[in-house]
Amino acid sequence: MNRLSALLAAAALAVAGTAQAATTAIVNARILTAGPAGAISAGTIVVRDGKIVAVGAGVAAPAGAQVVDAKGGVVTPGFVAANSHLGALEISALGNDVSVR
């Protein structure tokens, strides 16, 4: 759980607008695109100046970019609302077995 929290925090920092121009590459991630590309088993996401500029399996981290190694982590599109209870009822309906297949 700590690794997931760290990954989510790194991803949030990567896409958050900062006062300085920065490039961040999230590498070795399982990326769920929710688009035609589907799931990318080991891909890279490049964020420049707070905007996603590249996503894919063959994308290389640009020189000088801050690199976040997401090995073993999953990156999905969307925002994280830490104070939301959305989905909490649906998850509790599964019972005690919440294994992911």
Side-chain angles (χ1 to χ4, degrees), residues 43-99:
T44 299
I45 302 170
V46 178
V47 181
R48 183 175 299 123
D49 300 330
K51 296 185 180 188
I52 297 172
V53 295
V55 175
V59 174
Q66 176 186 4
V67 176
V68 176
D69 188 358
K71 185 171 177 91
V74 178
V75 178
T76 62
F79 294 102
V80 176
N83 63 345
S84 174
H85 295 286
L86 182 65
L89 292 175
E90 292 83 355
I91 290 173
S92 65
L94 295 175
N96 291 332
D97 181 20
V98 291
S99 60

Side-chain angles (χ1 to χ4, degrees), residues 23-58:
T23 301
T24 303
I26 302 170
V27 300
N28 299 321
R30 179 167 186 246
I31 304 168
L32 305 179
T33 67
I40 301 170
S41 62
T44 299
I45 302 170
V46 178
V47 181
R48 183 175 299 123
D49 300 330
K51 296 185 180 188
I52 297 172
V53 295
V55 175

